[in-house]
Amino acid sequence: MRPSILRRLLRRVASTAVLGVVAATLSTVGAAQPAAAAGGLQQVTGFGTNPGNLQMYEYAPADLPAGAPLVIALHGCTQTANDYYTNSGWPKYADLWKFAVVFPQTTSANNSLSCFGWFDPAEDTRGKGEAASIVQMVEHAKQQYGSDGRRVYVTGLSAGGGMTADLLAAYPDVFAGGSVASGLPAQCATSQAAASGCQTGPQKLTPAQWGDKVRAGYPGYTGPWPRVAIWQGTSDYTVYPANATALRDQWTDVWGIGQTPSSTDTLPGNTTRSVYNDASGKPAVETYSISGMGHGLPVSPGSGTDRCGSTAAYFLNSICSSYYTGVFWGLDQGAPGGGENPLPAPSGLTVTGVTGTSASLSWGAVTGASSYAVYRNGTEVGRPTSTAFTDAGLSAGTAYRYTVAAVDGSGAVGTVSAAVTATTTGGTGGGACYTATNYAQVAAGRAHTTGGYVYANGSEQNMGLYNVFVTHTLRESPAGYFVIADTGCTA
């Protein structure tokens, strides 16, 4: 028997150890079998030599222009490409923002639970197995749609998230960004036996050691690294939240930046976003911690721009992760920076004032700009022609994240600025401000620690590492409820 065939048989026998908790909670393992493609989702054959024995499905809007981005979306164990197409929300943004989506599919022929082989070096490393098949799909789609090779992104859930991290490490020259939902750090496990241990508690490695696993994926690579979003529920007992911390450590180290966030803010669905900027002030790594969410992909059904997806097994109603991931990658901005000659990012974005219901901003002028697009938490909220803007109708005692981009006379949006956070004043039943180190805030009972990080009591905003080197101002409003208020709050 050929070694490759023997290996696949062994994987089928042993695969119940891999994300087995997922399978145990399903009503039927039959969901792992390939489903008929939904309307608009098309299967592609003959995309390459396909060493990983995968199936390729794709979706693209009918009016897709040449030079558009390309997104690769990887399902979780027991799921299919059709499940991910139907429930994840990605087709909505493909239509809205104009890009193509490829949905690779593995089946029980590879793994009895239809898991991607994120734990198998014969499947998840450069030039081998499933990873090589996925890159062949990328090349096929680029030729078919004329996609922009500079804007290819990969995202995945659970085992698909683990494979996403491995692909980013093995092919940083192919993928400009990635998004890992309830997934594992790159090369966390290199054997079937080690897979379950990664899920419940990855190795206790330093950021540099985690980063070395990425750097070993493509030795000698010196180009730009992918920008990485990390999604994790705090009540995930299938892939424990420690994996999100390891992913954060891994990719911030690869980028050469620290593990203390540049900013934090609160999003819908009890979500705390922590942003880690690169040397130029642009987000390189973002973590999204969803309080109380279990194992799955965050979705938020609805008709609004920032609402997406359908609830189903492992598609959990909390926040539309596909929307925020797409904004993080810049898919909502069209071509990189808005065109072949993008306007530069405005400099000096500053919070000039806050009230209980508003935040005022100012920034430096950009030559050639006819207006400016202002974004609150990734959603456009205004297009002033001046270099100042006041955002009204806000909630008291709440942190908001703002960016701004210049818009030229044709309507093309330029490069987005670095973010600033504004926290509105007021609220009911309190309002006192406290400035102290994270250690002191915990000691005073205004915050608590989990997994080495500090979270504000009440709002659960991530304040960074539990130490005496990170300082924040907390506003108490109402009594016993604290929000980060580093601007607009005097202790």
Side-chain angles (χ1 to χ4, degrees):
M1 182 177 292
R2 288 184 356 199
S4 60
I5 297 176
L6 177 60
R7 174 173 47 78
R8 290 193 186 281
L9 290 174
L10 289 173
R11 285 177 61 198
R12 291 188 62 184
V13 172
S15 61
T16 53
V18 182
L19 298 180
V21 178
V22 177
T25 57
L26 289 179
S27 60
T28 172
V29 179
Q33 300 304 315
L41 184 65
Q42 303 296 324
Q43 185 171 9
V44 177
T45 58
F47 56 85
T49 59
N50 193 16
N53 190 35
L54 300 181
Q55 297 173 1
M56 176 180 178
Y57 291 86
E58 63 183 10
Y59 173 77
D63 53 351
L64 180 70
L70 175 65
V71 172
I72 312 300
L74 304 174
H75 63 77
C77 292
T78 76
Q79 295 179 334
T80 65
N82 188 56
D83 293 332
Y84 221 65
Y85 167 83
T86 301
N87 299 307
S88 67
W90 280 110
K92 171 177 178 173
Y93 298 110
D95 290 336
L96 180 65
W97 295 333
K98 307 305 177 189
F99 57 86
V101 189
V102 169
F103 295 88
Q105 178 172 284
T106 187
T107 68
S108 56
N110 283 1
N111 179 282
S112 64
L113 297 181
S114 294
C115 302
F116 287 102
W118 58 272
F119 49 84
D120 187 347
E123 301 292 348
D124 65 4
T125 53
R126 189 176 180 91
K128 295 183 180 179
E130 293 175 353
S133 289
I134 292 168
V135 172
Q136 288 179 356
M137 295 180 197
V138 170
E139 294 306 315
H140 185 280
K142 284 166 57 178
Q143 295 179 22
Q144 179 180 2
Y145 296 116
S147 303
D148 185 348
R150 301 168 301 169
R151 291 186 292 160
V152 180
Y153 305 91
V154 61
T155 181
L157 165 65
S158 193
M163 180 60 82
T164 292
D166 290 339
L167 285 166
L168 295 174
Y171 293 99
D173 53 331
V174 173
F175 299 104
S179 180
V180 180
S182 299
L184 301 302
Q187 299 302 318
C188 183
T190 56
S191 70
Q192 183 89 52
S196 295
C198 278
Q199 291 168 224
T200 58
Q203 303 171 62
K204 305 296 184 182
L205 302 181
T206 66
Q209 289 171 323
W210 281 119
D212 285 344
K213 289 180 177 288
V214 171
R215 287 181 284 268
Y218 185 14
Y221 176 73
T222 59
W225 291 104
R227 298 181 184 272
V228 182
I230 301 159
W231 294 84
Q232 181 71 49
T234 63
S235 298
D236 188 341
Y237 302 114
T238 300
V239 176
Y240 279 42
N243 285 282
T245 301
L247 276 160
R248 187 280 314 271
D249 289 353
Q250 183 171 66
W251 289 99
T252 52
D253 180 77
V254 167
W255 273 89
I257 55 182
Q259 286 72 57
T260 299
S262 305
S263 64
T264 61
D265 59 351
T266 301
L267 300 179
N270 296 317
T271 304
T272 298
R273 172 172 52 188
S274 299
V275 181
Y276 302 81
N277 291 337
D278 64 14
S280 69
K282 184 177 180 180
V285 177
E286 292 191 350
T287 63
Y288 299 78
S289 177
I290 303 96
S291 179
M293 193 186 81
H295 186 68
L297 182 75
V299 298
S300 181
S303 59
T305 301
D306 61 349
R307 306 290 293 276
C308 76
S310 303
T311 55
Y314 308 108
F315 294 94
L316 306 180
N317 189 358
S318 55
I319 182 175
C320 175
S321 57
S322 298
Y323 169 78
Y324 287 96
T325 293
V327 170
F328 170 57
W329 289 340
L331 297 180
D332 62 326
Q333 301 297 311
E340 293 183 359
N341 298 294
L343 293 176
S347 60
L349 177 60
T350 303
V351 179
T352 57
V354 292
T355 68
T357 59
S358 68
S360 297
L361 311 167
S362 69
W363 56 88
V366 174
T367 301
S370 62
S371 63
Y372 297 88
V374 180
Y375 301 92
R376 180 211 311 139
N377 294 342
T379 300
E380 185 174 339
V381 293
R383 285 224 176 175
T385 56
S386 67
T387 58
F389 178 75
T390 296
D391 189 22
L394 305 179
S395 299
T398 304
Y400 295 93
R401 179 175 178 264
Y402 290 93
T403 56
V404 65
V407 183
D408 66 20
S410 70
V413 179
T415 305
V416 178
S417 72
V420 296
T421 299
T423 302
T424 52
T425 61
T428 58
C433 298
Y434 305 90
T435 300
T437 67
N438 280 354
Y439 179 85
Q441 298 281 24
V442 171
R446 296 184 286 266
H448 60 278
T449 64
T450 300
Y453 288 86
V454 176
Y455 297 87
N457 289 345
S459 70
E460 294 298 322
Q461 289 177 294
N462 188 332
M463 299 165 59
L465 293 173
Y466 180 44
N467 59 33
V468 297
F469 305 108
V470 179
T471 297
H472 283 295
T473 298
L474 294 180
R475 180 191 302 280
E476 185 178 15
S477 178
Y481 188 97
F482 297 88
V483 297
I484 298 174
D486 292 335
T487 59
C489 192
T490 304

